[in-house]
């Protein structure tokens, strides 16, 4: 199972880059006429280099990034480029200005944090992180699937009393690479997607069950959503607040779509995975009271402001209510 | 035998083209569709006693199905597995390969299915008291819940119990605690399998225990 990588330009610009200048620089890099490079850019997302090895892909990534065009390195075998581009097309009124936090969803290598790769996306995503010597990684309890023998595991209490109330595991495992770099494979229990986010001072709110792993400089604490929001959100009363600097990985049931919120955006309460700080949200109904009860949509979460929201394409309650009918056992009273 | 694994990792299936007089052996109920000319014979899985052993200890069926193509033209059939998840193909060339109970889907007739005592270590780490020993030459198809990932082991490597699917004979299994006593009890990791030796192992990226742990509180 030798993995190859594609270098894909996303059709977006890096922060602060001028479009014409970036396209010309890109054209100069690949020895294309300005018209030609413009048409390549218009066709984005498009792979500029396919089925290459990791080192070459990284070289291309760096060169293209310098031109001011946003590009990413994609696992060629996973074939999930269309899904990503679709998610971006769904974005309402997307502007070329890149937002503060960028997800390198498909990038098998990080350029700032720990190097990692995600395999088996989006159905059964499996995260492999390379922990450098003397570094530590925080991992959700019982999510470790494989590891090098010299990793040392320590169990810590996490999140305090809030975690206890929500039925999540109270504990968190810390894996330290005491004697040299080591590799750890992480498999969350939920079938579904996994997303990486590099935090650089931003704050992210995660649904309580979404946390997978984080580096030590990412602070995790629980935030009480408030009685009303918590009650209607269909998830739990608590959110995980991730802040600080470092890598963060989170997962969900179903595939994950990243959405840039510019103004107002409505998400079904049970489909929220994560959102950036600065977005205001309120729980509302979509239509009048009649539609509230008859449409099956129930309550929704209305986000306001500028930021990012990650949504999941399936939700657990819908799955359980579908599957429950086929379960021979009596449900718990 | 021409074959292709299709479908996503979530719901893989194998499309097999049987040349005239070719035979494929599958687990019972693994065939989902086929050309009408293909003949099926259910056979005991290597004698009654061995078959029974394999059924109760190896997680496999008592009968295996032999599909053959009696015509003069190539015929197609589709093979699936019961669990959602990926299917892997491996070509054996007069060698031995070990599968976890329940992972076997299909093979060409040149491969013998055997059952072997995997040792108490394997049992305690919830990998099953027995393992399937595949030996001979030919094509082998196996699958499990989740995506299947290959890992190269040279020396030692730790795999959480119920994530190991298949391994080469150069690999030995040992048992150890994931951390200290406290960590092992509360960290949710407990006992892990320590894989030693040189060779390739196949792991599954999801486990049924993980799924149950996520799902059960929601019902």
């Amino acid at each position: 199972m030798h993995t190859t990588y594609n270098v894909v330009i996303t059709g977006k610009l890096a922060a602060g880059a001028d479009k014409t200048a970036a396209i010309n620089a890109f054209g100069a890099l690949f020895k294309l006429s300005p018209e030609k490079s413009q048409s390549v850019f218009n066709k984005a997302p498009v792979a500029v280099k396919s089925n290459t090895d990791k080192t070459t892909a990284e070289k291309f990534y760096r060169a293209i990034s310098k031109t001011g065009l946003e590009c990413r390195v994609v696992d060629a075998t996973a074939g999930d480029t269309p899904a990503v581009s679709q998610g971006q097309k769904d974005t309402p009124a997307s502007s070329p200005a890149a937002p503060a936090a960028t997800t390198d969803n498909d990038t098998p290598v990080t350029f700032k944090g720990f190097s990692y790769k995600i395999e088996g996306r989006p159905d059964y995503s499996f995260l492999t992180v390379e922990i450098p010597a003397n570094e530590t990684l925080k991992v959700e309890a019982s999510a470790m699937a494989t590891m090098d023998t010299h990793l040392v595991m320590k169990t810590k209490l996490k999140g305090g009393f809030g975690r206890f109330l929500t039925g999540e595991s109270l504990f968190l495992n810390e894996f330290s690479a005491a004697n040299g770099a080591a590799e750890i494979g992480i498999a969350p229990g939920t079938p579904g997607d996994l997303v990486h986010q590099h935090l650089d001072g931003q704050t992210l709110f995660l649904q309580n069950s979404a946390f997978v792993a984080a580096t030590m400089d990412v602070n995790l604490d629980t935030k009480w959503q408030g009685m009303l929001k918590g009650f209607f959100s269909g998830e739990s009363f608590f959110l995980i607040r991730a802040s600080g600097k470092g890598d963060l990985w989170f997962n969900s049931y179903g595939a994950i779509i990243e959405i840039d919120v510019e103004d107002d955006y409505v998400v079904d309460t049970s489909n929220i995975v994560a959102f950036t700080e600065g977005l205001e949200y309120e729980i509302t109904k979509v239509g009048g009271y009649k539609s509230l009860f008859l449409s099956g949509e129930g309550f929704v979460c209305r986000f306001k402001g500028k930021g990012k929201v990650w949504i999941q394409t399936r939700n657990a309650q819908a799955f359980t209510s579908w599957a429950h009918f086929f379960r021979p056992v009596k449900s718990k009273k | 035998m021409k074959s292709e694994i299709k479908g996503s990792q979530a719901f893989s299936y194998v499309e097999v083209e049987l040349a005239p007089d070719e035979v494929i052996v599958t687990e019972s109920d693994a065939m989902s569709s086929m050309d009408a000319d293909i003949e099926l014979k259910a056979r005991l899985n290597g004698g009654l006693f061995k078959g029974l052993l394999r059924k109760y200890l190896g997680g496999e069926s008592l009968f295996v199905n032999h599909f053959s193509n009696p015509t003069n033209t190539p015929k197609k059939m589709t093979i699936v597995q019961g669990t959602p998840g990926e299917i892997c193909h491996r070509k054996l060339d007069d060698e031995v390969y070990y599968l976890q109970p329940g992972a076997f889907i299909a093979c060409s007739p040149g491969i013998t299915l055997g059952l072997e005592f995997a040792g108490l270590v394997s049992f305690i780490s919830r990998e099953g008291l027995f393992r399937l020993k595949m030996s001979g030459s030919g094509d082998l198809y196996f699958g499990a819940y989740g995506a299947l990932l290959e890992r190269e082991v040279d020396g030692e490597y730790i795999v959480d119990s119920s994530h190991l699917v298949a391994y080469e004979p150069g690999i030995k299994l040992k048992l150890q605690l994931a951390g200290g006593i406290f960590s092992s009890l509360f960290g949710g990791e407990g006992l892990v399998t320590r894989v030693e030796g040189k060779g390739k192992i196949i792991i599954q990226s999801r486990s049924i225990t993980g799924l149950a742990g996520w799902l059960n509180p929601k019902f």
Side-chain angles (χ1 to χ4, degrees), chain A residues 124-125 142 145 147 155 173 183 190, chain B residues 157-158 160 183 187-188 205-206:
Chain A
Y124 301 118
S125 324
S142 69
M147 66 179 196
T155 305
N173 292 328
E183 180 194 281
T190 324
Chain B
Y157 199 58
I158 286 175
D160 197 12
S183 297
S205 73
R206 287 293 182 279

Side-chain angles (χ1 to χ4, degrees), chain A residues 95-149:
Chain A
S95 87
T102 44
T103 318
D104 26 16
N105 256 357
D106 312 284
T107 320
V109 276
T110 48
F111 301 97
K112 310 173 225 175
F114 291 9
S115 75
Y116 71 97
K117 67 178 175 196
I118 300 174
E119 293 163 278
R121 295 190 70 213
D123 318 310
Y124 301 118
S125 324
F126 186 87
L127 170 69
T128 314
V129 182
E130 202 72 48
I131 306 177
N134 301 319
E135 294 279 354
T136 304
L137 189 74
K138 296 188 260 198
V139 181
E140 170 79 1
S142 69
M144 187 275 292
T146 63
M147 66 179 196
D148 279 330
T149 40

Side-chain angles (χ1 to χ4, degrees), chain A residues 159 162-163 166 204-209 220-226 229-230 233 235-242 272-275 281 303:
Chain A
R163 288 279 288 177
T166 55
L204 217 66
F205 291 102
L206 302 181
Q207 220 34 274
N208 204 333
S209 52
L220 301 167
D221 43 7
T222 13
K223 192 200 169 228
W224 168 251
Q225 288 204 59
K229 280 178 184 168
S233 73
E235 281 289 330
S236 71
F237 290 99
F238 296 93
L239 290 170
I240 296 171
R241 178 165 53 200
I272 306 164
V273 184
F275 53 92
Y281 67 105
F303 287 96

Side-chain angles (χ1 to χ4, degrees), chain B residues 2 23-24 45 47 50 56 58 61-62 73 79 81 95 97 100 112 118 128 130 148 150 177 185 192 198 202:
Chain B
K2 272 192 218 159
V23 176
I24 187 167
N45 197 344
K50 275 189 176 170
Y56 290 106
S61 50
L62 176 56
T73 46
I79 298 170
Q81 65 171 344
E95 54 190 328
Y97 197 55
Q100 285 305 316
T112 322
F130 292 85
L148 299 181
E150 193 181 73
L177 287 170
L185 284 177
V192 291
K198 198 174 161 66
I202 304 279

